Amino acid sequence: MDGTTLTRFIRLNHQTNGVILNSEQVIEVRGLTKKFGSLTAVNNLDLNVYRGDVFGFLGPNGAGKSTTIRMLLSLIKPTSGEMKIFGKSITKDRKEIFSKIGAIVEKPDFYLYLSAYKNLEILGKLSGADTSKKKIMSMLELVGLEKRYKSKVKTYSHGMKQRLGLAQALLHDPELIILDEPTTGLDPQGMKEIRDLIIYLSREKGKTIFLSSHILHEVELIATRMIIISKGTAQVEGTVEELLKSEKVVVTFEVDKIEEAMKTVNESKWKENFKSTSKSEINFELTKNEIALLNKYLIEKGILVSAVVPVRSLEDYFLRITEGGTK
Amino acid sequence: MITLIWLELQKMFRKWRTYIGFIAIGFLAIVVQVALYFTGAKMIDFQMRGIEQSFVMVGNLFNGYFIARFILMALIIHIPFLIVIVGGDLLSGEATAGTYRMLLTRPASRFQVVTAKFIAGWISVLLLLVWLMFLSLIVSLLLFGSGPLLSFQGMKLVIIAQNDILWRFLCAYLFALISMSTVISISIFFSSFVQNAIGPIAATMAVIIIFLILSAIPIDFFQTIKPYLFTNHMSQWDGFFSDPVDYGEIFHSMWYLLAHIVVIYGITTYIFIKKDILS
Ligand SMILES: Nc1ncnc2c1ncn2[C@@H]1O[C@H](COP(=O)(O)OP(=O)(O)OP(=O)(O)O)[C@@H](O)[C@H]1O
Ligand SMILES: [Mg+2]
């Protein structure tokens, strides 16, 4: 199994697990709105995150992701709306709720004049974590900073701070992990490590993860469910599969007899789905079901299909949804 | 809560700026003592001219107590400058660093966080004054020896017996603690609004300086408001060196300053709890 297959394998499995676990609602948000003066940063947002979810919170820059996370974490007050975490009110049951949350909000900032170790010790103590040397060092090892644990955070690169951010979010073994764009500033290797870590936390440790991102690919790889927001408003919500089910995908069919194939297509109802053609390939815009049907049709007509390659369309979908502003 | 205060103190004392006050006081106290050690005896001779003829003086008047009071008097006006360096950074420092996002997404409530900050601030004042007391009182007593304290009350000269002095110093320092806690509280108050430490430092000093100037202007109006300015009550520590001590006045000033601290703390906490953290 190569890397992607493994990821997909994990994801599929997770989803089956997800169905079993999807009962308790961890985050429940109704009609959340935040206005900065005349600007509405978050508009009437509803969120439902269930135990065991890796919930993708997707939106372009300025969509209101960080603003929403700040409200969830009580850093700013909503203009209106209701929020419950673990079924409780974040103002009334603050202590109980916040000892079970680990979070990164926007860029990772630390006490620059303190070492990574000391930062973790202080933040861990605030959350009631085990701050023994062993525990802190193991956390630093997990994020690959154990060699630099004595260095002041001042001397850290952005990527290293991002890793330390993850460490502080995980130190007290929280049930809910809220991560605001945790992979910005990381190299591809680091991004992959974090993705794998999130999958591990979700699958092996049963954590609930709320992951904001503007990179669709990232969310798609690891999220079980997601919501796409734009200009503060939710556009669509569901599993990646659900979102794509009714969506047309551009699919490339590799065929042996291109001219004959084109003729066959032009004589059938598939003509409507035709997009373009090149040497030995024909591109169609199809839903998932139609892919199979067209494949069958071509083979029946004696045309050999050597490959059916879906062109990445989720990206287009994302762009269309977020730019259009409405569904 | 204890953990919170302890963590605040750790953060505070790992910052270089926290030591500026200690270094400045250490430097000044020692320079003054060395200078007095070599030249000071003349000063007291000058003050005592004429008196020596009328009284038979017993003991050494140029002693540790005299020096300690001299240093306290010389430095106390400037200690606010050193205190606000720490106080002005207490809340704004977290905003500058962006660490509010880490600090305020923990189980501790904002009320607890800001209270811990205030307490840590007051403790830093206490430590600074203990340091000053150590350097001025203990070191002076070792250097210059003990003796009765010579004190001028206006035109009147009071000599306080050697065994009647120590408690006055302790009370004076306790009073100074209240005065300086008022100062640091004001700087923490200003510190809750902004993202840098310079603003609150300047604002607090501006308030103190303006109040001092106002009380010094010999116009009726200003003289009427003078008793209401907290700065006017900050120097009451010296009242403990009168004989007899005017407790009425001292307690009045003390309550006045304490009320300032409570009100400032209350307002800051209220604002801080309501505030949107956008840094
Ligand atoms: N303090 C503020 N004052 C005024 N407007 C603000 C403030 N903070 C955020 N906004 C506005 O709210 C909107 C949402 O911002 P937010 O930071 O939540 O976006 P985001 O989805 O996190 O974007 P990014 O992907 O860039 O992090 C933006 O239009 C932004 O300009
Ligand atoms: Mg953001």
Side-chain angles (χ1 to χ4, degrees):
Chain A
M1 254 194 264
D2 65 18
T4 10
T5 345
L6 177 67
T7 315
R8 282 181 193 269
F9 168 74
I10 289 171
R11 190 170 105 222
L12 286 172
N13 269 279
H14 185 197
Q15 273 165 8
T16 23
N17 282 349
V19 176
I20 303 160
L21 292 169
N22 271 359
S23 47
E24 188 192 333
Q25 196 158 6
V26 174
I27 301 179
E28 186 182 351
V29 166
R30 294 284 166 268
L32 192 66
T33 301
K34 179 69 186 181
K35 293 189 173 145
F36 292 110
S38 61
L39 183 130
T40 306
V42 175
N43 188 7
N44 200 17
L45 184 72
D46 290 355
L47 289 174
N48 301 290
V49 179
Y50 299 92
R51 187 166 293 278
D53 269 350
V54 176
F55 189 87
F57 191 46
L58 198 60
N61 294 135
K65 304 184 294 293
S66 300
T67 305
T68 305
I69 290 177
R70 277 176 191 265
M71 287 190 277
L72 282 173
L73 293 171
S74 84
L75 288 171
I76 59 180
K77 295 214 167 42
T79 309
S80 60
E82 301 269 312
M83 294 181 290
K84 278 190 174 163
I85 297 184
F86 304 119
K88 296 190 166 129
S89 141
I90 63 165
T91 41
K92 291 198 198 89
D93 300 292
R94 179 184 177 97
K95 206 176 155 85
E96 190 193 336
I97 293 175
F98 279 76
S99 57
K100 293 194 282 187
I101 301 181
I104 303 179
V105 188
E106 293 189 36
K107 67 183 165 57
D109 279 318
F110 290 91
Y111 299 107
L112 296 177
Y113 54 94
L114 300 176
S115 68
Y117 184 92
K118 192 76 200 171
N119 267 286
L120 284 190
E121 191 182 66
I122 287 181
L123 295 168
K125 281 200 173 125
L126 285 169
S127 288
D130 165 12
T131 49
S132 62
K133 179 150 191 181
K134 193 161 152 262
K135 172 79 193 188
I136 294 181
M137 286 314 290
S138 77
M139 212 64 233
L140 285 165
E141 254 165 59
L142 183 72
V143 295
L145 291 172
E146 74 278 8
K147 291 205 182 74
R148 292 286 300 276
Y149 78 100
K150 268 188 181 160
S151 315
K152 293 197 170 163
V153 177
K154 202 167 19 192
T155 66
Y156 272 31
S157 71
H158 182 79
M160 291 165 77
K161 284 189 211 161
Q162 194 68 269
R163 287 159 183 266
L164 189 58
L166 215 57
Q168 64 77 32
L170 300 178
L171 187 62
H172 51 294
D173 201 26
E175 285 173 31
L176 169 64
I177 302 164
I178 298 180
L179 303 172
D180 191 2
E181 309 198 10
T183 55
T184 35
L186 294 183
D187 51 30
Q189 175 62 29
M191 282 191 180
K192 176 156 172 14
E193 280 173 28
I194 294 215
R195 281 201 297 270
D196 290 347
L197 180 61
I198 292 174
I199 291 166
Y200 164 79
L201 288 168
S202 156
R203 211 171 126 62
E204 305 292 327
K205 300 274 184 163
K207 308 288 183 199
T208 308
I209 292 155
F210 185 91
L211 172 76
S212 107
S213 176
H214 59 268
I215 307 162
L216 175 76
H217 177 65
E218 184 175 279
V219 170
E220 197 207 343
L221 280 178
I222 52 181
T224 50
R225 294 190 325 113
M226 66 178 194
I227 187 166
I228 300 181
I229 71 163
S230 168
K231 296 179 188 134
T233 314
Q235 305 299 336
V236 281
E237 186 181 354
T239 62
V240 177
E241 276 71 19
E242 263 168 36
L243 294 183
L244 278 182
K245 209 183 284 169
S246 60
E247 276 298 312
K248 303 236 183 211
V249 187
V250 176
V251 188
T252 302
F253 277 72
E254 237 176 81
V255 292
D256 56 348
K257 295 166 272 183
I258 182 86
E259 266 126 56
E260 202 180 321
M262 275 310 297
K263 203 164 142 253
T264 318
V265 167
N266 280 328
E267 282 163 3
S268 71
K269 64 162 184 154
W270 298 106
K271 208 172 102 178
E272 287 164 26
N273 300 77
F274 171 76
K275 281 206 79 177
S276 62
T277 179
S278 65
K279 272 184 286 177
S280 62
E281 294 169 2
I282 314 176
N283 294 322
F284 294 94
E285 204 175 49
L286 301 164
T287 65
K288 278 212 163 141
N289 282 339
E290 288 171 334
I291 299 175
L293 292 176
L294 174 59
N295 193 16
K296 186 161 161 264
Y297 177 76
L298 288 174
I299 290 167
E300 276 168 8
K301 293 283 169 187
I303 294 155
L304 281 180
V305 177
S306 52
V308 179
V309 187
V311 180
R312 295 231 44 79
S313 72
L314 205 50
E315 212 72 48
D316 296 340
Y317 178 65
F318 176 53
L319 284 175
R320 207 175 68 237
I321 282 202
T322 53
E323 273 166 16
T326 45
K327 224 199 281 205
Chain B
M1 196 65 206
I2 304 281
T3 318
L4 221 50
I5 298 167
W6 176 235
L7 293 175
E8 280 307 324
L9 287 171
Q10 284 193 28
K11 286 191 276 180
M12 185 187 276
F13 281 94
R14 276 166 194 260
K15 276 194 170 182
W16 158 238
R17 65 165 65 231
T18 308
Y19 294 94
I20 296 176
F22 287 87
I23 293 168
I25 285 181
F27 174 77
L28 288 170
I30 286 167
V31 165
V32 171
Q33 291 183 45
V34 169
L36 286 174
Y37 193 75
F38 290 110
T39 63
K42 289 190 203 105
M43 185 180 87
I44 205 160
D45 284 350
F46 179 75
Q47 286 190 341
M48 294 301 292
R49 192 164 299 156
I51 299 172
E52 265 173 353
Q53 282 111 38
S54 359
F55 296 97
V56 182
M57 301 304 287
V58 278
N60 164 26
L61 285 182
F62 191 66
N63 56 45
Y65 288 128
F66 180 82
I67 311 289
R69 176 151 174 252
F70 180 81
I71 292 177
L72 186 56
M73 216 181 289
L75 293 190
I76 199 83
I77 322 159
H78 305 291
I79 287 181
F81 284 99
L82 304 173
I83 284 172
V84 295
I85 296 174
V86 174
D89 180 63
L90 264 179
L91 288 169
S92 65
E94 303 271 357
T96 320
T99 42
Y100 268 148
R101 299 198 304 272
M102 304 272 181
L103 183 62
L104 300 180
T105 53
R106 306 276 157 186
S109 67
R110 289 200 198 179
F111 171 76
Q112 289 173 316
V113 169
V114 78
T115 304
K117 293 256 179 206
F118 267 94
I119 294 175
W122 297 328
I123 291 176
S124 79
V125 171
L126 172 73
L127 292 175
L128 196 69
L129 288 173
V130 167
W131 173 237
L132 176 64
M133 187 159 90
F134 168 77
L135 284 179
S136 63
L137 191 59
I138 297 177
V139 174
S140 288
L141 283 175
L142 290 175
L143 269 181
F144 299 90
S146 174
L149 180 66
L150 190 67
S151 165
F152 288 94
Q153 272 173 258
M155 287 283 97
K156 205 172 75 179
L157 180 73
V158 182
I159 293 176
I160 301 166
Q162 189 174 336
N163 57 10
D164 194 25
I165 303 174
L166 199 58
W167 70 270
R168 293 173 193 265
F169 268 105
L170 292 176
C171 290
Y173 270 96
L174 219 58
F175 193 94
L177 176 64
I178 296 171
S179 306
M180 294 304 135
S181 296
T182 315
V183 174
I184 201 163
S185 302
I186 296 172
S187 68
I188 298 173
F189 165 74
F190 284 125
S191 170
S192 70
F193 294 104
V194 288
Q195 297 212 7
N196 66 71
I198 308 295
I201 291 175
T204 314
M205 288 321 298
V207 168
I208 295 176
I209 291 168
I210 289 169
F211 280 15
L212 286 175
I213 293 175
L214 288 184
S215 22
I217 298 177
I219 296 176
D220 276 355
F221 173 69
F222 295 128
Q223 290 308 308
T224 334
I225 60 167
K226 185 174 164 181
Y228 300 101
L229 304 177
F230 75 91
T231 44
N232 191 48
H233 298 272
M234 279 171 47
S235 50
Q236 274 298 346
W237 62 272
D238 206 36
F240 287 105
F241 296 103
S242 304
D243 204 33
V245 176
D246 183 350
Y247 286 104
E249 207 173 320
I250 287 178
F251 275 108
H252 172 237
S253 291
M254 188 183 86
W255 290 123
Y256 201 73
L257 291 172
L258 284 174
H260 270 74
I261 294 177
V262 170
V263 170
I264 294 163
Y265 161 73
I267 297 174
T268 312
T269 307
Y270 180 80
I271 294 173
F272 189 73
I273 288 173
K274 296 249 150 191
K275 189 178 151 98
D276 273 357
I277 302 296
L278 297 166
S279 57

